[in-house]
Amino acid sequence: MSGMKLAVMGAGGRMGQALVRAVHSMEGCVVAGGTEQPGSDLVGRDIGEVAGIGPLDVDIVEDPLSLVARVDGILDFTAPAASNIFADLAAQARIVHVIGTTGFTPEQEQKLEAAARHATIVKAGNMSLGVNLATALVEQMARVLDDSFDIEVLEMHHRHKVDAPSGTALMLGEAAADGRGVSLEEKSVRVRDGITGERRRGDIGFATLRGGSVIGEHRVIFAGEGERIELSHIAGDRTIFARGAVRAALWALGKPPGLYSMKDVLGLS
């Protein structure tokens, strides 16, 4: 087995299967393991067969502890509580942990920062090249355009997504806030209902749509007097996130412990 040994946490889910296929198809890495929740009927099955690429002679397990001790990195698009557990294990094993999970609370974010003292963690609300380039552009646009331009972030995902706004939408909102030199927490507007009054100058608004099988659509609108600039990204296949995550893992191998982002991976910092 040559190349970076990667394990996929939550290997039986839609994103997990996409990650397995991406690792198998990309140079410099191999599928070395995967996990599923205890009691899942996928535990004990061949990870390649579950992902639809044929047997890889690697079984899905339910115990992440035994797995992290024999791999170079883990790919994790699971849930915040699980990601915190995996981060602690990655810190103990001193390995790479790529996190595409979204919806962390401030307390859970602090736990990731603590784990990053010993693990090399790459965390992003979205792993795709296009979204991260769009994020960099949003920050630049917000820096150039003053707050006479109103900023709105619109996103839509499939009916099964459990957090809102999406991690990508928040990433774009953070970029806009950074460009303006303001705090997103102070400027974001998540809900509008009833008699809201006039829009406050400088606010960054979010609108969330859910339905069908939409993988991910995001649009950032800069609305000024007499003109409007819109930047959009449409994801048509989960492969873009999976390949980005694998690229992040390969980049992180050999890097010192710390909490990195896709901006670091792509040289956009």
Side-chain angles (χ1 to χ4, degrees), residues 219-236:
R219 184 155 51 114
V220 182
I221 303 168
F222 289 80
E225 290 293 331
E227 61 180 331
R228 187 170 72 245
I229 305 167
E230 299 186 6
L231 184 64
S232 65
H233 180 273
I234 298 173

Side-chain angles (χ1 to χ4, degrees), residues 27 49 91 120 157 162 249-251 256:
E27 294 184 0
E49 291 184 337
T120 305
H157 284 83
V162 297
L250 292 169
W251 174 88

Side-chain angles (χ1 to χ4, degrees), residues 35-84:
T35 66
E36 261 302 332
Q37 297 181 19
S40 169
D41 59 3
L42 297 177
V43 172
R45 290 187 56 188
D46 186 284
I47 196 170
E49 291 184 337
V50 171
I53 55 177
L56 297 178
D57 295 325
V58 176
D59 290 342
I60 296 174
V61 301
E62 64 181 27
D63 178 18
L65 180 59
S66 64
L67 189 57
V68 297
R70 53 186 174 84
V71 298
D72 301 313
I74 56 177
L75 307 177
D76 168 22
F77 284 63
T78 56
S83 291
N84 276 146

Side-chain angles (χ1 to χ4, degrees), residues 72 90-91 94-97 112-123 248-261 264-265:
D72 301 313
R94 305 297 201 268
I95 63 173
V96 172
H97 184 188
L112 293 180
E113 292 172 5
R117 289 197 287 266
H118 301 290
T120 305
I121 297 177
V122 181
K123 175 180 174 291
L250 292 169
W251 174 88
L253 185 63
K255 296 290 191 301
L259 186 57
Y260 301 92
S261 72
D264 298 306
V265 175

